[in-house]
Amino acid sequence: MAGSRGEFSSRLGFVMAASGSAVGLGNIWGFPTQAASNGGAAFLLVYLLLAFLLAYPALMAELILGRHAHSNAVAALRQVSTHRLARGIGAFTGVAGLTVAALILSFYAIVAGWMIAFCLSAVAALFGLPPVADWLMSFGLPRNILLVTVFMVLTISIVASGVQAGIERWSQRLMPALLLTLFILAVYVLTLDGAMDGLRVYLMPDFSRALSPELILDALGSAFFSLSLGVGTMLIYGSYLSDRENLPLLGGIVTLVDVSIAVLAGFLILPAMYVALHNGVEIFAASGALISEDTLIFTVLPELFATMGLAGTIVSLTFFFLMSIAALTSSISMLEVPVAYVTEQFDRKRRPTAWIAGAVITGISCLILLNFDTLFGLVITVTTRYSQPLLGFMFCVYAGWIWHRNTLLQELKKGYPQAQHSLFWKVWPWYVKFICPLIILAVFAHSF
Ligand code: PHE
């Protein structure tokens, strides 16, 4: 089977695709706003520690399992053991993972559709079409359905083209575009009045907020979401890696890129919030707390851009373009999970499979949109808060307890001959066996 499946053509291709998956709305919006209300630099420190101490080892479990099996999560987890029950539970975990990946995509596409709408609205404003611009900014059902569909068509087209011609090629184009846009925007915003106040909040640590157990547990959940863990995304990307690659190194690079972009995004979002405050836009509620994240992005930022005249329209266009790209490189990795499973397991062609799976997910998105008040929050909570950590727990258990240690070492040695004597091998097996599952269980218990 391995011969006919896709493979990343280069190390860079993998790094771009995997960090493209990891870097998404979670990093560029979620992390900075959390840091803003939770102790600035102190939160940053907690986040860095969690990313490297918890998320990285869990990421490694998925990458190694995937590369070893060179197949989708269902087959990969099944082949870890010869025991019937363990094989059955493994297959079930894989199927649950792809279902959750599809559900995450169904709400992610809605949010991404809003990003595209705001980006296009700025374009319409530049072309002197205020009615179109206003329609795109309004929260109407037709607009939402149209833009979810646009976003899903983009996602499906890339996935349908395959690993090298689709995922790898587009990640290599979009990730540099994302970095450049982020950088330019941050530099521009930092020159505006009020930006320095934001920078101060970001860089001054307030440990009283950041060290509360409540917050640490919450940050754990975000670290999982941010590195795309628990749903088989990283497993499937790992399965497209060649045996020559050094897995601990590649996983480390992906974690580093993910975290760095979150940190960089902080240099844009926090200053932007305080520029808004300086321009008379409300960013704090009466209680003194920052107003909620979604209100902040869809009302506060546009208000800020509106105070900036023509420059504001251009900044708005660039900002929402950035968010749309970040969402797209993540959404392709979500769709790849069910598509890889169906093509491999049922011997189907990739292109029609991608279109059918994508259409089903678009249908679910529309269903959510039609019952927005009940379903939107529910799907987010069920998938990211409960399912992702629980499935991540299963991946760690399979890598740490069910898989034979020797086979695991042989897998690592393929691209890293000195693996046995490395620090990684001294720490990681023990870590993924005890620490990761325990921490994940703590997070899970806490969410109840
Ligand atoms: N990591 C992505 C983000 O930060 C979200 C994601 C979750 C992607 C699960 C794939 C799988 O936005």
Side-chain angles (χ1 to χ4, degrees), residues 20-27 101 104 108 222 224-229 231 233 258 326 330-331 333-334 388:
S21 165
V23 173
L25 304 178
N27 306 57
I104 292 182
Y108 208 79
S222 351
F224 247 79
F225 183 75
S226 174
L227 266 180
S228 315
L229 297 177
V231 293
T233 293
D258 184 54
S330 297
S331 66
S333 75
M334 296 172 199
Q388 263 192 301

Side-chain angles (χ1 to χ4, degrees), residues 334-377:
M334 296 172 199
L335 183 59
E336 179 62 16
V337 181
V339 169
Y341 170 71
V342 175
T343 47
E344 286 176 12
Q345 223 67 12
F346 303 100
D347 211 10
R348 292 276 186 268
K349 286 212 170 63
R350 169 177 281 271
R351 198 165 280 282
T353 307
W355 282 99
I356 294 171
V360 171
I361 294 170
T362 313
I364 303 177
S365 302
C366 292
L367 210 68
I368 297 178
L369 281 171
L370 285 167
N371 303 279
F372 193 81
D373 291 339
T374 27
L375 288 184
F376 186 66

Side-chain angles (χ1 to χ4, degrees), residues 14-338:
F14 166 80
V15 169
M16 290 288 187
S19 37
S21 165
V23 173
L25 304 178
N27 306 57
I28 300 192
W29 187 248
F31 166 76
T33 45
Q34 269 181 309
S37 33
N38 296 306
F43 182 83
L44 180 69
L45 209 66
V46 173
Y47 183 82
L48 286 178
L49 283 176
L50 291 176
F52 284 100
L53 295 185
L54 177 84
Y56 171 68
L59 168 68
M60 287 311 302
E62 284 200 36
L63 288 182
I64 300 177
L65 280 163
R67 218 268 305 265
H68 178 69
H70 283 300
S71 71
N72 63 82
V74 179
L77 289 174
R78 194 188 276 141
Q79 79 181 53
V80 161
S81 167
T82 47
H83 195 280
R84 246 188 88 191
L85 184 66
R87 288 169 67 85
I89 297 179
F92 175 79
T93 305
V95 173
L98 70 90
T99 313
V100 174
L103 285 175
I104 292 182
L105 179 53
S106 70
F107 80 75
Y108 208 79
I110 296 178
V111 182
W114 295 335
M115 303 296 171
I116 297 185
F118 277 60
C119 178
L120 291 180
S121 167
V123 177
L126 280 181
F127 279 95
L129 299 165
V132 181
D134 289 346
W135 182 75
L136 283 164
M137 298 280 267
S138 69
F139 193 84
L141 190 62
R143 179 206 73 161
N144 287 343
I145 291 183
L146 177 71
L147 285 148
V148 160
T149 313
V150 168
F151 182 76
M152 283 304 293
V153 167
L154 289 175
T155 304
I156 298 167
S157 313
I158 296 178
V159 171
S161 303
V163 180
Q164 269 183 31
I167 298 175
E168 181 173 343
R169 176 187 300 161
W170 281 96
S171 303
Q172 285 201 2
R173 288 178 184 167
L174 295 174
M175 284 304 283
L178 180 139
L179 247 177
L180 192 72
T181 317
L182 183 57
F183 195 74
I184 293 177
L185 267 177
V187 169
Y188 177 69
V189 169
L190 280 171
T191 63
L192 302 176
D193 287 340
M196 288 306 137
D197 294 335
L199 208 55
R200 213 164 293 129
V201 172
Y202 189 33
L203 298 178
M204 288 275 235
D206 172 4
F207 285 98
S208 65
R209 283 289 297 123
L211 293 184
S212 81
E214 183 92 352
L215 191 85
I216 294 182
L217 290 174
D218 275 352
L220 272 173
S222 351
F224 247 79
F225 183 75
S226 174
L227 266 180
S228 315
L229 297 177
V231 293
T233 293
M234 288 302 182
L235 191 148
I236 198 74
Y237 276 13
S239 80
Y240 299 139
L241 261 175
S242 113
D243 286 345
R244 292 183 308 274
E245 300 298 348
N246 176 340
L247 292 176
L249 176 71
L250 288 187
I253 297 178
V254 170
T255 311
L256 199 65
V257 173
D258 184 54
V259 169
S260 312
I261 294 200
V263 172
L264 182 59
F267 283 98
L268 164 67
I269 307 293
L270 275 93
M273 280 162 38
Y274 281 82
V275 171
L277 188 67
H278 181 265
N279 289 9
V281 179
E282 244 4 282
I283 64 167
F284 293 106
S287 66
L290 204 62
I291 39 188
S292 72
E293 291 184 8
D294 46 340
T295 324
L296 208 60
I297 192 164
F298 295 115
T299 61
V300 171
L301 282 186
E303 267 184 66
L304 165 67
F305 299 146
T307 62
M308 291 159 61
L310 178 65
T313 312
I314 295 169
V315 173
S316 173
L317 193 163
T318 323
F319 176 77
F320 287 108
F321 174 72
L322 167 78
M323 298 300 278
S324 309
I325 300 182
L328 188 59
T329 53
S330 297
S331 66
I332 52 181
S333 75
M334 296 172 199
L335 183 59
E336 179 62 16
V337 181

